[in-house]
Amino acid sequence: MARLQGKRAIITGAANGIGRGMALRFAREGAAVGVLDLKEEGCAAVVEEIEREGGKAVTLPADLQYPAQIEAAVQRFVDKIGPPNVLVNNAAIMIPGMVHETSVEDLDRIIAVNMRGAFLMSARVVPYMMEQRQGSIIHMASITGIAGAPGTAAYSMTKGALAALARAMAVDYAPYGIRVNAVSPGTIDSPMLRAWVESQSDPAATRREFEEAYPLGRIGTIEEVVNVFLFLASDEASFVTGANYVVDGGITVNIPQPQD
Ligand SMILES: NC(=O)c1ccc[n+]([C@@H]2O[C@H](COP(=O)([O-])OP(=O)(O)OC[C@H]3O[C@@H](n4cnc5c(N)ncnc54)[C@H](O)[C@@H]3O)[C@@H](O)[C@H]2O)c1
């Protein structure tokens, strides 16, 4: 039995990486999927892949920085698929830097995509869920919203905010049967991460350092993160709301001891 039968899911940032993995898996589990991304060709490629496997999907090209594009994307999903009952706010950008190094322009952009984009997507989708008296919204946070990671001030701020938003929304919308959760992954072996590792002076050493930092001795896979989203989107998680699922191989609970 498919675990997402009857689900109509919008996934943002679904042209690449973790969002793409989620779109493919959700469709395999029976969901009709809205593939939202600013990369129009990437959206089309994911939809094609889903349709080739016999699934149902629609492209939702949109830049989350623009409220009018968010509104148009949600409307397109409603017209083509029906009222959404799952929303995954996965899209994000990462602009590195400490507070004093971050320009006002970069700060505004990262807030507009990561925080305001998720907020406005939720605002547009929630009324459909309230009408259906059911829904699951999942915000993609990060362990940088839980523990300090050097040189990621603005990004970390937005990720911490998404976990807070999940809690606030969980309380507001529980009376309507809408569950809202966050997921906070550690380092995941995504194309974005691989590209960054390759750009370092000694990629093999950088990768090894990452892996050694994790108590499980490795970084996570896209599939391991998608598994948690799949659970939260499904009715298996019917009593789970306001949670922040940490998917990080134990790194945030590890207190390294000095070696003798
Ligand atoms: N990869 C990791 O190690 C890791 C760890 C923790 C959390 N995360 C989070 O997981 C999510 C996905 O990460 P990923 O590694 O797959 O990254 P990615 O860059 O491969 O994917 C992000 C997607 O979001 C899209 N996007 C960016 N700005 C957008 C905008 N303005 N409007 C619409 N779409 C936009 C991009 O086009 C891209 O397809 C992000 O929220 C990221 O912060 C990733």
Coordinates of all heavy atoms in Angstrom, one line a residue, residues 141-222:
A141 N 14.5 22.8 8.1 CA 15.4 23.6 8.9 C 16.8 23.1 8.7 O 17.1 22.6 7.6 CB 14.9 23.6 10.3
S142 N 17.6 23.1 9.7 CA 19.0 22.6 9.7 C 19.5 22.5 11.1 O 19.1 23.3 11.9 CB 19.8 23.6 8.8 OG 21.2 23.4 9.1
I143 N 20.6 21.7 11.3 CA 21.2 21.7 12.6 C 21.9 23.1 12.9 O 22.1 23.4 14.0 CB 22.2 20.6 12.8 CG1 23.3 20.6 11.7 CG2 21.5 19.2 12.9 CD1 24.5 19.6 12.0
T144 N 22.1 23.9 11.8 CA 22.6 25.2 12.1 C 21.6 26.1 12.8 O 22.0 27.2 13.3 CB 23.1 25.9 10.8 OG1 21.9 26.1 10.0 CG2 24.1 25.1 10.1
G145 N 20.4 25.7 12.9 CA 19.4 26.4 13.6 C 19.3 25.9 15.1 O 18.5 26.5 15.9
I146 N 20.1 25.0 15.4 CA 20.1 24.4 16.8 C 21.5 24.6 17.5 O 21.5 24.9 18.6 CB 19.9 22.8 16.7 CG1 18.5 22.6 16.1 CG2 20.1 22.2 18.0 CD1 18.3 21.1 15.8
A147 N 22.6 24.4 16.7 CA 23.9 24.6 17.2 C 24.7 25.6 16.3 O 24.3 25.7 15.2 CB 24.6 23.3 17.3
G148 N 25.7 26.2 16.9 CA 26.4 27.2 16.1 C 27.3 26.6 15.1 O 28.1 25.6 15.4
A149 N 27.2 27.0 13.9 CA 28.2 26.6 12.8 C 28.9 27.8 12.3 O 28.3 28.8 11.9 CB 27.4 25.9 11.7
P150 N 30.3 27.8 12.4 CA 31.0 29.0 12.0 C 30.7 29.5 10.6 O 30.5 28.8 9.7 CB 32.5 28.5 12.0 CG 32.5 27.2 12.8 CD 31.1 26.6 12.6
G151 N 30.6 30.9 10.6 CA 30.5 31.5 9.3 C 29.2 31.3 8.6 O 29.1 31.4 7.3
T152 N 28.1 31.1 9.3 CA 26.8 30.9 8.7 C 25.7 31.7 9.3 O 24.6 31.2 9.5 CB 26.4 29.4 8.7 OG1 26.1 29.0 10.1 CG2 27.4 28.5 8.1
A153 N 26.0 32.9 9.8 CA 25.1 33.7 10.6 C 23.7 33.8 10.1 O 22.7 33.4 10.7 CB 25.7 35.0 10.9
A154 N 23.6 34.4 8.9 CA 22.2 34.7 8.3 C 21.5 33.4 8.0 O 20.3 33.2 8.4 CB 22.4 35.5 7.1
Y155 N 22.2 32.4 7.4 CA 21.6 31.1 7.1 C 21.0 30.5 8.4 O 19.9 30.0 8.4 CB 22.6 30.2 6.4 CG 22.2 28.8 6.1 CD1 21.4 28.6 5.0 CD2 22.5 27.8 6.9 CE1 21.0 27.3 4.6 CE2 22.1 26.5 6.6 CZ 21.4 26.2 5.5 OH 21.0 24.9 5.2
S156 N 21.9 30.4 9.4 CA 21.5 29.8 10.7 C 20.3 30.4 11.3 O 19.4 29.8 11.8 CB 22.6 29.8 11.7 OG 23.8 29.1 11.2
M157 N 20.2 31.8 11.2 CA 19.1 32.5 11.8 C 17.8 32.1 11.1 O 16.8 31.9 11.7 CB 19.3 34.0 11.6 CG 18.2 34.9 12.0 SD 18.5 36.7 11.7 CE 18.4 36.8 10.0
T158 N 17.9 32.0 9.7 CA 16.6 31.6 9.0 C 16.2 30.2 9.4 O 15.0 29.9 9.5 CB 16.8 31.7 7.5 OG1 17.8 30.8 7.0 CG2 17.2 33.1 7.0
K159 N 17.2 29.3 9.6 CA 16.8 27.9 9.9 C 16.2 27.8 11.3 O 15.3 27.0 11.5 CB 18.0 27.0 9.7 CG 18.5 26.9 8.2 CD 17.4 26.4 7.3 CE 17.7 26.2 5.9 NZ 16.7 25.7 5.1
G160 N 16.8 28.5 12.2 CA 16.2 28.5 13.6 C 14.8 29.0 13.6 O 13.9 28.5 14.2
A161 N 14.6 30.1 12.7 CA 13.3 30.7 12.6 C 12.2 29.7 12.1 O 11.1 29.7 12.5 CB 13.3 31.9 11.7
L162 N 12.6 28.9 11.2 CA 11.7 27.9 10.6 C 11.2 26.9 11.6 O 10.0 26.5 11.6 CB 12.3 27.2 9.4 CG 12.5 28.1 8.1 CD1 13.2 27.4 7.0 CD2 11.1 28.5 7.6
A163 N 12.1 26.5 12.5 CA 11.7 25.6 13.6 C 10.7 26.3 14.5 O 9.7 25.7 14.9 CB 12.9 25.1 14.3
A164 N 10.9 27.5 14.8 CA 10.0 28.3 15.6 C 8.7 28.5 14.9 O 7.6 28.4 15.5 CB 10.6 29.7 15.9
L165 N 8.7 28.7 13.6 CA 7.5 28.9 12.8 C 6.7 27.6 12.9 O 5.4 27.6 13.0 CB 7.8 29.3 11.4 CG 6.7 29.5 10.4 CD1 5.8 30.6 10.9 CD2 7.1 29.7 9.0
A166 N 7.4 26.5 12.8 CA 6.6 25.2 12.9 C 5.9 25.0 14.2 O 4.7 24.6 14.2 CB 7.6 24.0 12.7
R167 N 6.5 25.4 15.3 CA 5.9 25.3 16.6 C 4.7 26.3 16.7 O 3.6 25.9 17.1 CB 6.9 25.6 17.7 CG 7.9 24.5 17.9 CD 8.8 24.8 19.1 NE 9.7 25.9 18.9 CZ 11.0 25.8 18.4 NH1 11.4 24.6 18.1 NH2 11.8 26.8 18.3
A168 N 4.8 27.5 16.2 CA 3.7 28.5 16.3 C 2.6 28.0 15.4 O 1.4 28.1 15.8 CB 4.3 29.9 15.8
M169 N 2.9 27.6 14.2 CA 1.8 27.1 13.3 C 1.1 25.9 13.8 O -0.1 25.7 13.6 CB 2.4 26.9 11.9 CG 2.8 28.2 11.2 SD 3.4 27.8 9.5 CE 2.0 27.1 8.7
A170 N 1.9 25.0 14.4 CA 1.3 23.7 15.0 C 0.2 24.1 15.9 O -0.9 23.4 15.9 CB 2.4 22.9 15.7
V171 N 0.4 25.0 16.8 CA -0.6 25.4 17.8 C -1.8 26.1 17.1 O -2.9 25.8 17.5 CB 0.1 26.3 18.9 CG1 -0.9 26.9 19.8 CG2 1.2 25.6 19.6
D172 N -1.5 27.0 16.2 CA -2.6 27.7 15.6 C -3.5 26.8 14.7 O -4.7 27.1 14.7 CB -2.0 28.8 14.6 CG -1.5 30.0 15.3 OD1 -1.9 30.3 16.5 OD2 -0.7 30.8 14.7
Y173 N -2.9 25.8 14.1 CA -3.7 25.1 13.1 C -4.1 23.7 13.6 O -4.8 23.0 12.8 CB -3.0 25.0 11.7 CG -2.8 26.4 11.2 CD1 -1.6 27.0 11.0 CD2 -3.9 27.2 10.8 CE1 -1.4 28.3 10.5 CE2 -3.8 28.5 10.3 CZ -2.5 29.0 10.2 OH -2.4 30.3 9.7
A174 N -3.7 23.3 14.8 CA -4.1 22.0 15.3 C -5.7 21.9 15.3 O -6.2 20.8 14.9 CB -3.6 21.8 16.7
P175 N -6.4 22.9 15.6 CA -7.9 22.7 15.6 C -8.5 22.4 14.2 O -9.6 21.9 14.1 CB -8.4 24.1 16.1 CG -7.3 24.7 16.8 CD -6.0 24.2 16.1
Y176 N -7.7 22.6 13.2 CA -8.1 22.3 11.8 C -7.6 21.0 11.3 O -7.7 20.7 10.1 CB -7.7 23.5 10.9 CG -8.3 24.8 11.3 CD1 -7.6 25.7 12.1 CD2 -9.6 25.2 10.8 CE1 -8.1 26.9 12.5 CE2 -10.1 26.4 11.2 CZ -9.4 27.2 12.0 OH -9.9 28.4 12.4
G177 N -6.9 20.3 12.2 CA -6.3 19.0 11.8 C -5.1 19.1 10.9 O -4.7 18.2 10.2
I178 N -4.5 20.3 11.0 CA -3.3 20.5 10.2 C -2.0 20.4 11.1 O -2.0 21.0 12.2 CB -3.3 22.0 9.6 CG1 -4.5 22.1 8.7 CG2 -2.0 22.2 8.8 CD1 -4.7 23.6 8.3
R179 N -1.1 19.5 10.7 CA 0.1 19.3 11.5 C 1.2 20.1 10.9 O 1.3 20.1 9.6 CB 0.5 17.8 11.5 CG -0.6 16.9 12.2 CD -0.2 15.5 12.2 NE -0.1 14.9 10.9 CZ 1.0 14.7 10.2 NH1 2.2 15.0 10.7 NH2 1.0 14.1 9.0
V180 N 2.1 20.6 11.7 CA 3.2 21.4 11.2 C 4.5 21.0 11.9 O 4.5 21.1 13.2 CB 3.0 23.0 11.3 CG1 4.1 23.7 10.6 CG2 1.6 23.3 10.8
N181 N 5.5 20.6 11.2 CA 6.7 20.1 11.8 C 7.9 20.7 11.1 O 7.8 21.2 10.0 CB 6.8 18.6 11.8 CG 5.7 18.0 12.7 OD1 5.8 18.0 13.9 ND2 4.7 17.4 12.0
A182 N 9.1 20.6 11.7 CA 10.4 20.9 11.0 C 11.3 19.7 11.0 O 11.1 18.8 11.8 CB 11.0 22.1 11.8
V183 N 12.2 19.7 10.1 CA 13.3 18.7 10.1 C 14.6 19.4 10.0 O 14.8 20.4 9.2 CB 13.1 17.8 8.8 CG1 14.2 16.8 8.7 CG2 11.7 17.0 8.9
S184 N 15.5 19.0 10.8 CA 16.8 19.6 10.9 C 17.9 18.6 10.5 O 18.4 17.9 11.4 CB 17.1 20.2 12.3 OG 16.2 21.3 12.5
P185 N 18.3 18.6 9.3 CA 19.4 17.7 8.9 C 20.8 18.2 9.2 O 21.0 19.4 9.3 CB 19.3 17.5 7.4 CG 18.0 18.2 7.0 CD 17.7 19.2 8.1
G186 N 21.7 17.3 9.4 CA 23.1 17.6 9.4 C 23.6 17.6 8.0 O 22.9 17.8 7.1
T187 N 24.9 17.4 7.8 CA 25.5 17.5 6.5 C 25.0 16.3 5.6 O 25.1 15.1 6.1 CB 27.0 17.4 6.6 OG1 27.5 18.4 7.5 CG2 27.7 17.7 5.2
I188 N 24.5 16.6 4.5 CA 23.9 15.6 3.6 C 24.6 15.6 2.3 O 25.0 16.6 1.7 CB 22.4 15.9 3.3 CG1 21.6 16.0 4.7 CG2 21.8 14.9 2.4 CD1 21.7 14.8 5.5
D189 N 24.9 14.4 1.8 CA 25.6 14.2 0.6 C 24.8 14.6 -0.7 O 24.4 13.7 -1.4 CB 26.1 12.7 0.5 CG 27.2 12.5 -0.5 OD1 27.6 13.5 -1.2 OD2 27.6 11.4 -0.7
S190 N 24.6 15.9 -0.8 CA 23.8 16.4 -1.9 C 24.7 17.0 -3.0 O 25.9 17.2 -2.7 CB 22.9 17.5 -1.4 OG 23.7 18.6 -1.0
P191 N 24.2 17.2 -4.2 CA 25.1 17.8 -5.3 C 25.7 19.1 -4.8 O 26.8 19.4 -5.1 CB 24.1 18.1 -6.4 CG 23.0 17.0 -6.2 CD 22.9 16.9 -4.7
M192 N 24.9 19.9 -4.0 CA 25.4 21.2 -3.6 C 26.6 21.0 -2.7 O 27.7 21.7 -2.8 CB 24.3 21.9 -2.8 CG 24.6 23.4 -2.4 SD 23.3 24.2 -1.6 CE 23.3 23.4 0.0
L193 N 26.5 20.0 -1.8 CA 27.6 19.7 -0.8 C 28.9 19.2 -1.6 O 30.0 19.7 -1.4 CB 27.2 18.7 0.2 CG 28.4 18.4 1.1 CD1 28.4 19.4 2.3 CD2 28.5 17.0 1.6
R194 N 28.6 18.3 -2.6 CA 29.7 17.8 -3.4 C 30.4 18.9 -4.1 O 31.7 18.9 -4.2 CB 29.2 16.8 -4.4 CG 28.9 15.4 -3.7 CD 28.6 14.4 -4.7 NE 28.0 13.3 -4.0 CZ 27.6 12.1 -4.5 NH1 27.8 12.0 -5.8 NH2 27.1 11.2 -3.8
A195 N 29.7 19.8 -4.7 CA 30.3 20.9 -5.4 C 31.2 21.7 -4.5 O 32.3 22.2 -4.8 CB 29.2 21.8 -6.1
W196 N 30.7 22.0 -3.3 CA 31.4 22.8 -2.3 C 32.7 22.0 -1.9 O 33.8 22.6 -1.9 CB 30.6 23.1 -1.1 CG 31.3 24.0 -0.1 CD1 31.5 25.3 -0.2 CD2 32.0 23.5 1.1 NE1 32.2 25.7 0.9 CE2 32.5 24.7 1.7 CE3 32.1 22.3 1.7 CZ2 33.3 24.6 2.8 CZ3 32.9 22.2 2.8 CH2 33.4 23.4 3.4
V197 N 32.6 20.8 -1.6 CA 33.8 20.0 -1.2 C 34.8 20.0 -2.3 O 36.0 20.2 -2.1 CB 33.3 18.5 -0.9 CG1 34.6 17.6 -0.8 CG2 32.5 18.5 0.4
E198 N 34.3 19.8 -3.6 CA 35.3 19.9 -4.7 C 36.0 21.2 -4.9 O 37.1 21.3 -5.5 CB 34.5 19.5 -6.0 CG 34.1 18.0 -6.2 CD 35.3 17.1 -6.0 OE1 36.4 17.3 -6.5 OE2 35.1 16.1 -5.2
S199 N 35.3 22.3 -4.4 CA 35.9 23.6 -4.6 C 37.0 23.9 -3.5 O 37.7 24.9 -3.6 CB 34.9 24.7 -4.5 OG 34.5 24.8 -3.1
Q200 N 37.2 23.0 -2.5 CA 38.2 23.2 -1.5 C 39.5 22.7 -2.0 O 39.6 22.0 -2.9 CB 37.8 22.4 -0.2 CG 36.4 22.8 0.4 CD 36.3 24.2 0.7 OE1 37.0 24.7 1.7 NE2 35.5 25.0 0.0
S201 N 40.6 23.2 -1.3 CA 41.9 22.9 -1.8 C 42.3 21.4 -1.8 O 42.9 20.9 -2.6 CB 43.0 23.7 -1.0 OG 42.8 23.5 0.3
D202 N 41.8 20.7 -0.7 CA 42.0 19.3 -0.6 C 40.6 18.6 -0.4 O 40.3 18.3 0.7 CB 43.0 19.0 0.5 CG 43.4 17.5 0.6 OD1 42.7 16.7 -0.1 OD2 44.3 17.2 1.3
P203 N 39.9 18.4 -1.5 CA 38.5 17.8 -1.3 C 38.5 16.5 -0.5 O 37.6 16.4 0.3 CB 38.1 17.6 -2.8 CG 38.9 18.5 -3.6 CD 40.2 18.6 -2.9
A204 N 39.4 15.6 -0.7 CA 39.4 14.4 0.0 C 39.5 14.6 1.5 O 38.8 14.0 2.3 CB 40.5 13.4 -0.5
A205 N 40.4 15.5 1.9 CA 40.6 15.8 3.3 C 39.4 16.5 3.9 O 39.0 16.2 5.0 CB 41.9 16.7 3.5
T206 N 38.8 17.4 3.1 CA 37.6 18.1 3.6 C 36.5 17.1 3.9 O 35.8 17.1 4.9 CB 37.1 19.1 2.6 OG1 38.2 20.0 2.3 CG2 35.9 19.9 3.1
R207 N 36.3 16.2 2.9 CA 35.2 15.2 3.1 C 35.5 14.3 4.3 O 34.6 14.0 5.1 CB 35.2 14.3 1.8 CG 33.9 13.6 1.7 CD 33.7 12.7 0.5 NE 32.6 11.9 0.7 CZ 31.4 12.2 0.3 NH1 31.1 13.2 -0.4 NH2 30.4 11.4 0.6
R208 N 36.8 13.9 4.5 CA 37.1 13.1 5.6 C 36.9 13.8 6.9 O 36.3 13.2 7.9 CB 38.6 12.7 5.5 CG 39.0 11.4 6.2 CD 40.3 10.8 5.8 NE 41.4 11.8 5.7 CZ 42.0 12.1 4.5 NH1 41.6 11.6 3.4 NH2 42.9 13.1 4.5
E209 N 37.2 15.1 7.0 CA 37.0 15.9 8.2 C 35.5 15.9 8.6 O 35.1 15.7 9.7 CB 37.4 17.3 8.0 CG 38.9 17.5 8.4 CD 39.3 19.0 8.0 OE1 38.5 19.9 8.2 OE2 40.4 19.1 7.4
F210 N 34.7 16.1 7.5 CA 33.2 16.1 7.7 C 32.8 14.7 8.4 O 32.1 14.7 9.3 CB 32.5 16.2 6.4 CG 32.0 17.6 6.1 CD1 32.3 18.2 4.9 CD2 31.2 18.3 7.0 CE1 31.8 19.5 4.7 CE2 30.7 19.5 6.8 CZ 31.1 20.2 5.6
E211 N 33.2 13.7 7.7 CA 32.8 12.3 8.1 C 33.2 12.0 9.5 O 32.5 11.5 10.3 CB 33.3 11.3 7.1 CG 32.6 11.4 5.8 CD 33.1 10.5 4.7 OE1 34.2 10.0 4.9 OE2 32.5 10.5 3.7
E212 N 34.5 12.4 9.9 CA 35.0 12.1 11.2 C 34.2 12.9 12.3 O 34.2 12.5 13.4 CB 36.5 12.4 11.3 CG 37.3 11.3 10.6 CD 38.7 11.6 10.3 OE1 39.1 12.7 10.7 OE2 39.4 10.8 9.8
A213 N 33.7 14.0 11.9 CA 32.9 14.9 12.9 C 31.6 14.2 13.3 O 31.1 14.5 14.4 CB 32.6 16.2 12.3
Y214 N 31.1 13.3 12.5 CA 29.8 12.6 12.8 C 30.0 11.4 13.6 O 30.7 10.5 13.2 CB 29.1 12.4 11.5 CG 28.4 13.6 11.0 CD1 29.2 14.6 10.3 CD2 27.1 13.9 11.3 CE1 28.6 15.7 9.8 CE2 26.5 15.1 10.9 CZ 27.3 16.0 10.1 OH 26.7 17.2 9.7
P215 N 29.3 11.3 14.8 CA 29.4 10.0 15.6 C 29.2 8.8 14.8 O 29.8 7.7 15.0 CB 28.4 10.2 16.7 CG 28.4 11.7 16.9 CD 28.6 12.3 15.5
L216 N 28.2 8.8 13.8 CA 28.0 7.6 13.0 C 29.1 7.4 11.9 O 29.0 6.5 11.2 CB 26.6 7.7 12.3 CG 25.4 7.5 13.2 CD1 24.1 7.6 12.4 CD2 25.5 6.1 13.8
G217 N 30.1 8.3 11.9 CA 31.2 8.1 11.0 C 31.1 8.5 9.6 O 31.9 8.1 8.7
R218 N 30.0 9.1 9.3 CA 29.7 9.5 7.9 C 28.7 10.6 7.8 O 28.0 10.9 8.8 CB 29.2 8.3 7.1 CG 27.9 7.8 7.6 CD 27.4 6.6 6.8 NE 26.1 6.0 7.3 CZ 24.9 6.5 7.1 NH1 24.8 7.6 6.3 NH2 23.9 6.0 7.6
I219 N 28.5 11.2 6.7 CA 27.5 12.2 6.5 C 26.2 11.5 6.0 O 26.3 10.3 5.6 CB 27.9 13.4 5.5 CG1 28.2 12.8 4.1 CG2 29.0 14.1 6.1 CD1 28.6 13.9 3.1
G220 N 25.1 12.2 6.0 CA 23.8 11.5 5.6 C 23.6 11.5 4.1 O 24.2 12.2 3.3
T221 N 22.6 10.6 3.7 CA 22.2 10.6 2.3 C 20.9 11.3 2.1 O 20.1 11.5 3.1 CB 22.1 9.1 1.8 OG1 20.9 8.5 2.6 CG2 23.3 8.3 2.1
I222 N 20.6 11.7 0.9 CA 19.4 12.3 0.6 C 18.2 11.4 1.0 O 17.2 11.8 1.6 CB 19.3 12.6 -1.0 CG1 20.3 13.8 -1.3 CG2 17.9 12.9 -1.4 CD1 20.3 14.2 -2.7

